[in-house]
């Protein structure tokens, strides 16, 4: 029987994994809730970071990209994996270029670059303002090629329900999954020698976010409930600039600021004039004033807190509301169309104003989860006797960028969860971004996982347990039992339709209340008392969920059933998230506690690790040390209120071109 | 005309806190009869079709107070880049996420009609099976045949103009609007007929995109041969509906013309090669 790998999720991470594993000659079964071309990666707008020749000649390096990512993540990420990712980044850009991604070009035909948050160098490659879409399509096309050859089989509109974990002689090992066809509602177990979870983030736990409708986090939660550990659940990125909406909060890319967009509010809170009638001197460019070095391109958590502070604490939002201006009207409209067309169109379509001529009104929204399934790694060859001091921007890198310095290539532990044979790639994993992700590093980490860590999966099949005891030869009862457990859950949910749901037992209302509570307690500003209240709310929602009632009995294409099942999984992950936020009694990156406003390296430069206790149905939280063996932690100030040392870089930093 | 101008020229001031009617063509599954159901929806400012359907899902009761099943529909990004939520709204195909209620139903009691796309088999209610659309991308080998994923240096250099042309074509999100509007494209549930039935504008345009790329061009002959046979570019009836409904403003008719020319040149070249 041929060895098979299951990849769950058809976004950038899942597709990159499928391509790499199929290329090695193995068969891949690719599961996705949606046709893979419609995965949430399409929503990524701004670009993908990598050291490049222009920046390199100005003093930038892969090492600086590594240092920026660690500093941007506020010294919470394990450092070796980040080093390898930064070193690999230029190779990923080259590969995407070969695949035909229409990266924007300079007049001479080279790949164009833009400035992005957390860097003083232009190191972000982009394809208009729909970079994620273009990257996803390039990988989708390569997967289609393997699909035509028969080495990738797609299961689209199939929902992952649980990993099949088998207690073998050497401990628990993942040997397949249970999944459900969302049209026929058939539940089936599938065998696999390894399973890659690449299912993205859990934005829907917050109700409305910038995430797509399928980003419930349910797949991660199901792995968690099956015994996989979940790390840094409290680390949720709130993007500073989103467009409020009735159904979702649409992202307004950081590239709008990278291309020169300026954030401001009227200096007088009661100033009701249209924005373009307010003279320059009566506008408060608060980010530029507070962060002269980085200006509008400070990292996301900082921009978010400043906007939140201006609106919520100081009551200075535009028109007394929770919004600030993101202003591009000083830029040439044709230039804007060329560089940012896609996102300006989204704003125009959904708000009705043309951002080339009217400043946009934006407010922060939940965007990304730095936390995720815990994964291991095998460090590479760079093991300094002592961690280096913080890198000074633009200075010579202490090391080169050879492959294998950060991680050992092909190691089977790279990106593996605590369960043998179960891997986590992309946003669903906790690696790389620490306490805050830098803009344009997400696409990178997804593709890096697929390409680099995909090789470890291949080696695991060749040299690990599957080579001695293939999943194809295991007793059928293992798989039948797993499928039967899921069928019981379905039967229980379908058995609840006898009488109509009321407010307390309606899954949509339970989800809405969860979203409102999580947004209020677990986003920009957190505090112990409020978080405890949030935990109590989640507990009461879990209690109500135990009596949940379905609005649809249908045995065919029952969306209510799938949604209701996901709500149960969201509640469990939400509890881990709130507990992480309570137990981390410090402020770090996106996690800001008013009662513990300082970073506490002695106590909390540690990964928070959530483990699910199946007997009680509760989360147990602990803290474990991180790998900080490469760089010494330093205060993360982004030059706040300091005068900028280098006026040329300051000009660059505010996006002047 | 920009979206803003269009909106301003047709502006009727939306009534705040109004209730609108959503009339939906429903069907429980393949082979089941269709029926109309109407729902009353209280809308807030900024509402779109998705937020209305979300209200129906949470409280599936018709306008005349009868309990029914939630309406099933396909959706994803909700910002018009994934293509999932395409349906026929007031008789015209488009994405439902970018369909704002303030524009379509500004007055108290105004009605919006939703139907599934008619050129694809219905799965349930507004959800249709667009597998044939993705099959068409395999048919034209819509990919760049790279030599694997190991590091082999950068891709070909490209002028900004060439990039701009490719980028527009590459924004196709496989939504199917061009197929719904095409008189030559008809519903075909039998997958064995997909290789000979009309392939549609989107796939022809993708063939043009990959034929433009220096590496992608290596498969140009195979793409053109796939498009020369039955169901290929010659089946286009030149109605030009496709380009009018494309939400990404992709110049689909230009693509069809370009592939038509390439096919002719390729056919002549092959004929001489045989001689």
């Amino acid at each position: 029987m041929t060895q098979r790998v299951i990849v769950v999720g058809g976004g950038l991470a899942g597709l990159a994994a499928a391509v790499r594993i199929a290329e090695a000659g193995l068969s891949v079964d690719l599961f996705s809730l949606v046709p893979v071309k419609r995965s949430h990666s399409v929503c990524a707008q701004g670009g993908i970071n990598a050291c490049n020749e222009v920046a390199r000649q100005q003093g930038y390096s892969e090492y600086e990209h590594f240092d920026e990512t660690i500093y941007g993540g506020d010294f919470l990420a394990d450092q070796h994996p980040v080093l390898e990712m930064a070193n690999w980044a230029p190779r990923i850009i080259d590969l995407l270029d070969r695949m035909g991604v229409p990266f924007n070009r300079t007049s001479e035909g080279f790949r164009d670059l833009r400035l992005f948050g957390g860097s003083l160098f232009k190191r972000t490659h982009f394809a208009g303002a729909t970079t994620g879409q273009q990257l996803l399509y390039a990988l989708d096309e390569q997967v289609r090629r393997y699909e035509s050859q028969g080495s990738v089989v797609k299961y689209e509109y199939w929902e992952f329900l649980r990993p099949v974990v088998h207690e073998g002689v050497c401990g628990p090992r993942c040997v397949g999954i249970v999944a459900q066809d969302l049209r026929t509602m058939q539940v089936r177990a599938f065998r696999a020698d390894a399973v890659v979870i690449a299912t993205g983030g859990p934005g829907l736990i917050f109700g409305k976010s910038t995430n797509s409708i399928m980003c419930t986090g349910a797949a991660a939660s199901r792995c968690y409930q099956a015994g996989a550990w979940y790390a840094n659940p409290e680390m949720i990125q709130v993007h500073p600039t989103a467009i409020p909406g009735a159904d979702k909060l649409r992202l307004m890319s950081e590239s709008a600021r990278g291309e020169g967009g300026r954030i401001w509010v009227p200096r007088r809170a009661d100033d009701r004039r249209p924005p373009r009638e307010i003279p320059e001197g009566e506008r408060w460019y608060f980010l530029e004033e507070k962060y002269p070095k980085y200006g509008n391109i400070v990292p996301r958590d900082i921009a978010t807190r400043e906007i939140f502070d201006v609106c919520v604490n100081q009551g200075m939002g535009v028109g007394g509301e929770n919004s600030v201006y993101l202003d591009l009207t000083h830029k040439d409209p044709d230039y804007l169309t060329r560089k940012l067309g896609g996102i300006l169109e989204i704003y125009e379509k959904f708000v009705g104003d043309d951002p080339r001529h009217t400043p946009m009104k934006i407010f922060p929204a939940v965007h990304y989860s730095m936390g995720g399934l815990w994964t291991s790694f095998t460090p590479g060859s760079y093991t300094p006797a002592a961690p280096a001091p913080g890198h000074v921007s633009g200075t010579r890198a202490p090391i080169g960028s050879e492959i294998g310095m950060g991680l050992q290539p092909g190691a089977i532990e790279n990106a593996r969860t605590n369960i043998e044979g179960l891997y986590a790639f992309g946003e669903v994993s906790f690696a790389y971004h620490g306490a805050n992700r830098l803009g344009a590093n997400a696409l990178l980490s997804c593709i890096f996982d697929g390409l680099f860590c995909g090789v470890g999966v291949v080696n695991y099949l060749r040299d690990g347990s599957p080579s001695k005891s293939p999943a194809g030869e295991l007793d059928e009862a293992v798989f039948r039992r797993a499928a039967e457990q899921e069928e019981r859950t379905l039967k229980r949910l379908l058995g609840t339709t006898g009488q109509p749901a009321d407010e307390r037992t309606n899954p949509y209302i339970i989800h809405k209340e969860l979203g409102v509570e999580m947004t209020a307690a677990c986003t920009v500003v957190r505090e112990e008392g409020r978080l405890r209240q949030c935990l109590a709310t989640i507990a009461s929602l879990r209690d109500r969920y135990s009596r949940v009632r379905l609005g649809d009995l249908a045995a065919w294409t029952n969306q209510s059933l799938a949604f209701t099942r996901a709500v149960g999984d969201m509640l469990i992950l939400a509890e881990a998230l709130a507990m992480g936020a309570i137990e981390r009694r410090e402020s770090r990156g996106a996690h800001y506690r008013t009662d513990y406003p300082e970073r506490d390296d002695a106590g909390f430069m540690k990964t928070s690790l959530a483990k699910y206790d199946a007997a009680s149905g509760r989360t147990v939280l602990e803290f474990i040390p991180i790998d900080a063996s490469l760089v010494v932690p330093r205060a993360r100030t982004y030059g706040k209120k300091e005068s900028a040392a280098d006026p040329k870089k300051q000009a660059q930093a505010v996006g002047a071109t | 005309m920009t979206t803003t101008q269009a909106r301003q020229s047709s502006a009727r001031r939306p009534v705040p806190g109004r209730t609108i009617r959503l009339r939906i063509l429903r069907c429980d599954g393949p082979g089941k009869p269709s029926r109309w159901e109407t729902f009353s929806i209280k809308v807030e400012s900024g509402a779109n079709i998705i937020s209305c359907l979300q209200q129906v899902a949470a409280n599936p009761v018709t306008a005349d107070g009868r309990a029914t099943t939630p309406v099933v529909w396909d959706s994803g990004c909700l910002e018009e880049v994934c293509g999932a939520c395409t349906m026929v709204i007031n008789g015209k195909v488009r994405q439902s996420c970018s369909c704002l209620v303030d524009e379509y139903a500004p007055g108290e009691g105004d009605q919006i009609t939703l139907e599934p796309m008619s050129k694809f088999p219905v799965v349930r209610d507004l959800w249709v099976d667009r597998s044939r659309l993705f099959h068409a991308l395999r048919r034209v080998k819509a990919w760049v045949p790279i030599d694997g994923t190991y590091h082999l240096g950068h891709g070909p250099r490209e002028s900004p103009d060439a990039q701009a042309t490719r980028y527009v074509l590459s924004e196709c999100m496989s939504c199917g609007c061009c197929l719904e509007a095409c008189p030559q494209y008809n519903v075909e549930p039998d997958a064995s007929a997909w290789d000979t039935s009309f392939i549609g504008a989107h796939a022809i345009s993708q063939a043009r995109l990959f034929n433009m790329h220096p590496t992608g061009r290596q498969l140009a002959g195979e793409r053109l041969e796939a498009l020369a046979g039955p169901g290929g570019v010659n089946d286009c009836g030149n109605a030009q509906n496709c380009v009018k409904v494309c939400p990404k403003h992709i110049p689909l008719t230009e693509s069809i013309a370009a592939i038509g020319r390439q096919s002719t040149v390729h056919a002549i070249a092959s004929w001489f090669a045989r001689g």
Side-chain angles (χ1 to χ4, degrees), chain A residues 624-641:
Chain A
I624 58 168
I626 65 161
D627 161 25
S629 59
L630 306 185
V631 192
V632 179
R634 60 190 187 273
R636 182 174 176 266
T637 60
Y638 285 96
K640 186 175 185 179
K641 284 176 188 160

Side-chain angles (χ1 to χ4, degrees), chain B residues 21-25 36-39 111-115:
Chain B
R21 292 162 70 82
L22 216 51
R23 185 165 175 264
I24 303 176
L25 185 61
W36 288 97
E37 272 179 4
T38 305
F39 298 87
Q111 179 170 289
I112 302 175
T113 302
L114 307 180
E115 295 166 81

Side-chain angles (χ1 to χ4, degrees), chain A residues 104-426:
Chain A
N104 276 50
R105 298 284 162 168
T106 64
S107 54
E108 209 181 323
F110 292 105
R111 293 179 302 233
D112 202 0
L113 296 157
R114 67 165 47 128
L115 202 58
F116 238 72
S119 185
L120 298 173
F121 290 92
K122 287 192 177 181
R123 47 108 163 99
T124 303
H125 304 69
F126 62 103
T130 60
T131 312
Q133 178 195 46
Q134 294 304 313
L135 265 46
L136 183 80
Y137 289 3
L139 287 165
D140 171 62
E141 289 146 11
Q142 295 300 320
V143 167
R144 188 166 289 110
R145 192 179 163 201
Y146 284 109
E147 189 188 12
S148 294
Q149 295 163 9
S151 48
V152 173
V153 178
K154 283 182 189 157
Y155 292 85
E156 293 174 326
Y157 295 120
W158 278 75
E159 181 165 8
F160 163 81
L161 301 183
R162 65 157 61 213
V164 178
V165 180
H166 176 56
E167 286 294 335
V169 274
C170 2
R173 172 185 152 203
C174 180
V175 293
I177 66 167
V178 178
Q180 182 175 33
D181 183 332
L182 293 176
R183 290 153 302 185
T184 65
M185 306 311 279
Q186 178 201 13
V187 174
R188 241 186 90 184
F190 293 82
R191 294 165 188 255
D193 292 296
V195 173
V196 176
I197 301 292
T199 49
L204 254 72
I205 286 179
F206 293 84
K208 291 193 280 186
S209 71
T210 66
N211 287 190
S212 294
I213 213 82
M214 58 280 188
C215 301
T216 61
S221 178
R222 288 163 192 166
C223 292
Y224 174 60
Q225 292 166 68
W229 302 337
Y230 199 90
N232 295 333
E234 68 279 12
M235 291 303 177
I236 293 292
Q237 179 166 80
V238 181
H239 195 289
T241 60
I243 314 161
D247 54 336
K248 85 172 282 192
L249 311 170
R250 293 176 180 84
L251 179 65
M252 178 44 59
S253 169
E254 187 167 307
S255 54
R257 283 175 291 136
E259 295 292 352
R262 305 178 74 186
I263 301 274
W264 62 279
V265 290
R267 282 201 180 271
R268 283 192 351 255
D270 60 349
D271 194 336
R272 294 288 190 270
R273 286 174 293 180
R276 298 202 74 180
E277 287 173 24
I278 301 177
E280 197 66 17
E282 294 173 42
R283 300 174 175 191
W284 184 26
Y285 295 99
F286 53 92
L287 287 177
E288 295 170 32
E289 194 175 296
K290 288 184 185 170
Y291 300 88
K293 193 168 169 190
Y294 285 82
N296 293 290
I297 55 155
V298 286
R300 292 176 176 173
D301 58 317
I302 295 176
T304 292
R305 272 195 297 280
E306 296 291 355
I307 293 169
F308 189 85
D309 181 60
V310 161
C311 294
V312 178
N313 299 336
Q314 304 188 37
M316 292 289 289
V318 174
E321 288 170 2
N322 278 343
S323 78
V324 301
Y325 288 124
L326 169 54
D327 194 348
L328 281 163
T329 58
H330 54 289
K331 307 288 284 187
D332 169 37
D334 291 334
Y335 174 86
L336 293 175
T337 302
R338 214 163 50 245
K339 295 289 180 82
L340 300 171
I343 52 168
L344 302 183
E345 213 173 89
I346 288 177
Y347 188 86
E348 193 174 353
K349 234 165 216 161
F350 287 95
V351 180
D353 293 327
D354 182 351
R356 295 167 195 84
H357 305 292
T358 309
M360 294 179 274
K361 284 162 87 171
I362 54 91
F363 196 67
V366 167
H367 182 54
Y368 187 87
S369 174
M370 281 72 71
L373 293 171
W374 179 86
T375 50
S376 61
F377 63 92
T378 302
S381 59
Y382 178 52
T383 49
H391 184 67
V392 177
S393 176
T395 61
R396 190 185 159 81
I399 53 168
S401 59
E402 295 83 43
I403 294 309
M405 295 182 90
L407 294 176
Q408 187 184 313
I412 64 174
E413 289 83 8
N414 289 336
R416 198 185 72 186
T417 68
N418 56 304
I419 298 172
E420 188 190 334
L422 185 66
Y423 291 80
F425 290 6

Side-chain angles (χ1 to χ4, degrees), chain A residues 494-517:
Chain A
L494 283 170
T496 64
T497 42
Q499 62 195 66
D502 61 21
E503 293 267 306
R504 298 191 53 77
T505 56
N506 184 321
Y508 294 90
I509 291 171
I510 292 175
H511 173 245
K512 192 175 173 186
E513 288 181 23
L514 173 69
V516 168
E517 178 67 6

Side-chain angles (χ1 to χ4, degrees), chain A residues 514-532:
Chain A
L514 173 69
V516 168
E517 178 67 6
M518 293 301 285
T519 303
C522 290
T523 53
V524 187
V525 175
R526 300 166 171 182
E527 178 272 320
E528 180 129 0
R530 185 66 188 83
L531 286 165
R532 293 219 171 269

